[in-house]
Amino acid sequence: MAKTDVLTLAILGMLSEQPLHGYQLRKQLGSELGAFRALSYGSLYPALKRMVGSGLIAADANEAEDAHAATSRRSRIAYRLTDEGKKRLADELASAGASSWDDDAFDVRFSMFDKTDSATRLRILEGRRSRLAERLEEVSESMQQRRERNDAYTTELQRHGLERVEREVQWLDQLIETERSAPGGNTKAATGGENN
Amino acid sequence: MAKTDVLTLAILGMLSEQPLHGYQLRKQLGSELGAFRALSYGSLYPALKRMVGSGLIAADANEAEDAHAATSRRSRIAYRLTDEGKKRLADELASAGASSWDDDAFDVRFSMFDKTDSATRLRILEGRRSRLAERLEEVSESMQQRRERNDAYTTELQRHGLERVEREVQWLDQLIETERSAPGGNTKAATGGENN
DNA sequence: AAACCGTTGTATCGGCGCGATACATCGAGT
DNA sequence: ACTCGATGTATCGCGCCGATACAACGGTTT
């Protein structure tokens, strides 16, 4: 079982909505996710090539929907999911990821929550939460130990880092609670509350 | 003028306190900074090798302070700054970094604030602040544009990301204000206190 | 019409960071 | 004596990033 890295998963998710060119793919990933804020072509194109190689996606080279301009045409390649790609995505969406708990991986996984069932959502949220709790433990412990040795600025930096993680945990707690109290939400409509 | 990358700068800073082995260096960097939380040996040792090559640091291979055990001895290498390394660090500390505004670079630079004068501190804080403000602009703009197209979870992810950056800005504002009202702090002693 | 320029679009290269892995020694506990 | 964890150095493959190059398209300016 080849394991699916974060970028591959993100691309699978994007392409499941509609076929896209590399260029468009990059823009979408950049604007939609926190991760991949500035995904470089040096990562993207090789990744696409890998995915074509492993049969997850296919490259449709420039099919003109308008028949009138047959010649010329600048080179553009639209990528779409293959059946194998769809299967892989479905597997991944059902699996709670095992490693959906890293900073980037969680973001990607979270942005696909509307494609997942409530149970899986909860497992991911809780996994992420406990991962952050661990880090909280580690960091605050090492802060205690070296409290004397550090200067004021380093201490402040650590304190701020800690606070950021704590707030992340609070955010997760909120999401977990919402998910528990409204488990029915399979697709679309869940978090925001009742603004629409 | 060879430019100094983040890792190199962090190592220079660490070694300016005392000579250290690669192993110790890694632990210190991991616990002290937010960046380099889990710096790998695959990055560290090559970096040290590069720095020796460019003359910034020197490697003292295992000088036994106890003379009695002459043979055996496990291999340990203590690294220390050369004069050139000290000069490079001083230059870097005075320069406000030009690129001390990335996430990681800022953390490293901030942890060395007690080695810098107040004017430089302010310039770095303000540089970082305006960098974050830019990002704030971009993200909230792209949120407006794609508000309709995104599902609730993606929207929530973006909202949370935005909030995190906003809080970061508030933190910086606080630091800037403190720095302005108490500019005297040149070295050691700023917020925390004077324990030694 | 010609010149310019920003956006769309594909692609590669060198350098570097990461995770895994290997190997070796030391001190302490059972 | 044996195991186990911490200390310590080192490398390999692979993926990512930043820079860079090339090219065609659409729009505005002159």
Side-chain angles (χ1 to χ4, degrees):
Chain A
M1 166 82 96
K3 49 188 166 182
T4 312
D5 64 305
V6 204
L7 180 51
T8 298
L9 180 58
I11 292 174
L12 287 176
M14 275 283 123
L15 292 184
S16 73
E17 308 279 347
Q18 60 187 308
L20 288 172
H21 297 160
Y23 188 85
Q24 300 169 323
L25 207 37
R26 180 182 182 253
K27 290 195 79 172
Q28 299 251 14
L29 286 172
S31 70
E32 193 141 330
L33 280 352
F36 307 130
R37 207 166 310 158
L39 175 66
S40 76
Y41 296 118
S43 320
L44 180 57
Y45 283 111
L48 289 171
K49 203 171 270 185
R50 282 197 304 272
M51 290 172 72
V52 170
S54 61
L56 295 174
I57 59 176
D60 297 329
N62 195 27
E63 313 202 358
E65 62 264 356
D66 290 7
H68 66 281
T71 43
S72 77
R73 198 63 89 298
R74 87 156 159 285
S75 69
R76 337 163 84 225
I77 305 171
Y79 293 93
R80 58 175 170 79
L81 291 192
T82 61
D83 288 342
E84 199 182 330
K86 286 174 194 168
K87 187 174 174 304
R88 174 70 134 275
L89 178 59
D91 286 355
E92 214 62 49
L93 284 174
S95 80
S99 55
S100 312
W101 306 332
D102 294 307
D103 291 342
D104 282 2
F106 173 78
D107 282 8
V108 171
R109 207 62 183 69
F110 186 85
S111 73
M112 297 179 183
F113 261 23
D114 65 326
K115 300 186 177 69
T116 313
D117 60 297
S118 185
T120 306
R121 284 199 285 262
L122 259 178
R123 263 185 299 151
I124 291 176
L125 290 173
E126 281 162 355
R128 171 72 176 166
R129 208 216 108 106
S130 72
R131 155 72 56 112
L132 286 183
E134 282 172 30
R135 188 186 300 176
L136 223 50
E137 201 91 6
E138 289 170 24
V139 175
S140 67
E141 191 175 330
S142 86
M143 262 186 78
Q144 297 288 338
Q145 286 181 352
R146 355 192 339 107
R147 193 165 10 136
E148 302 290 318
R149 248 168 306 176
N150 288 340
D151 64 289
Y153 289 110
T154 302
T155 304
E156 173 63 15
L157 186 62
Q158 289 172 337
R159 194 200 58 70
H160 178 246
L162 210 67
E163 192 180 290
R164 194 172 48 206
V165 180
E166 277 166 1
R167 217 170 296 269
E168 202 88 3
V169 171
Q170 285 170 23
W171 180 65
L172 284 169
D173 284 339
Q174 221 171 312
L175 290 171
I176 290 171
E177 197 187 348
T178 305
E179 193 66 49
R180 282 225 178 84
S181 66
N186 49 348
T187 37
K188 306 289 162 81
T191 24
E194 38 283 283
N195 60 329
N196 63 342
Chain B
M1 167 81 97
K3 49 189 165 184
T4 312
D5 64 305
V6 206
L7 180 52
T8 298
L9 181 57
I11 292 174
L12 288 176
M14 275 284 123
L15 293 184
S16 72
E17 308 277 347
Q18 59 187 309
L20 288 170
H21 296 162
Y23 188 84
Q24 300 169 325
L25 208 37
R26 180 182 181 253
K27 289 195 79 174
Q28 299 252 11
L29 286 172
S31 70
E32 194 142 331
L33 280 353
F36 306 130
R37 208 165 311 158
L39 175 66
S40 75
Y41 295 119
S43 319
L44 180 57
Y45 284 110
L48 289 170
K49 203 172 267 187
R50 282 198 304 272
M51 290 172 72
V52 170
S54 61
L56 294 174
I57 60 177
D60 296 330
N62 195 29
E63 312 202 0
E65 61 262 354
D66 290 7
H68 67 279
T71 44
S72 76
R73 197 64 89 299
R74 92 155 157 286
S75 68
R76 336 165 83 227
I77 304 172
Y79 293 94
R80 57 175 170 78
L81 291 193
T82 60
D83 289 341
E84 198 182 331
K86 288 174 193 167
K87 188 175 174 305
R88 173 69 134 277
L89 178 59
D91 286 356
E92 215 62 49
L93 284 174
S95 80
S99 56
S100 312
W101 306 332
D102 295 306
D103 292 341
D104 283 0
F106 174 78
D107 282 7
V108 171
R109 208 60 184 71
F110 186 84
S111 72
M112 298 178 183
F113 261 24
D114 65 326
K115 300 186 177 69
T116 313
D117 60 297
S118 185
T120 306
R121 284 199 285 261
L122 259 177
R123 262 185 300 153
I124 292 176
L125 290 172
E126 282 161 356
R128 171 72 175 166
R129 208 215 107 107
S130 72
R131 154 73 56 114
L132 287 183
E134 282 173 30
R135 190 187 300 177
L136 224 50
E137 201 91 6
E138 289 170 26
V139 176
S140 68
E141 190 174 331
S142 86
M143 261 186 78
Q144 297 288 338
Q145 286 182 354
R146 354 191 340 107
R147 195 164 9 137
E148 303 291 321
R149 245 167 308 174
N150 289 338
D151 64 290
Y153 290 111
T154 302
T155 305
E156 174 62 15
L157 186 62
Q158 289 173 336
R159 195 201 57 72
H160 178 247
L162 211 67
E163 191 179 290
R164 194 172 48 206
V165 180
E166 277 165 2
R167 217 169 297 268
E168 201 88 4
V169 170
Q170 286 170 21
W171 180 66
L172 284 170
D173 284 338
Q174 221 171 312
L175 290 172
I176 289 171
E177 198 187 347
T178 304
E179 193 65 49
R180 283 226 178 85
S181 66
N186 48 347
T187 37
K188 306 288 162 81
T191 17
E194 40 284 280
N195 58 329
N196 66 341

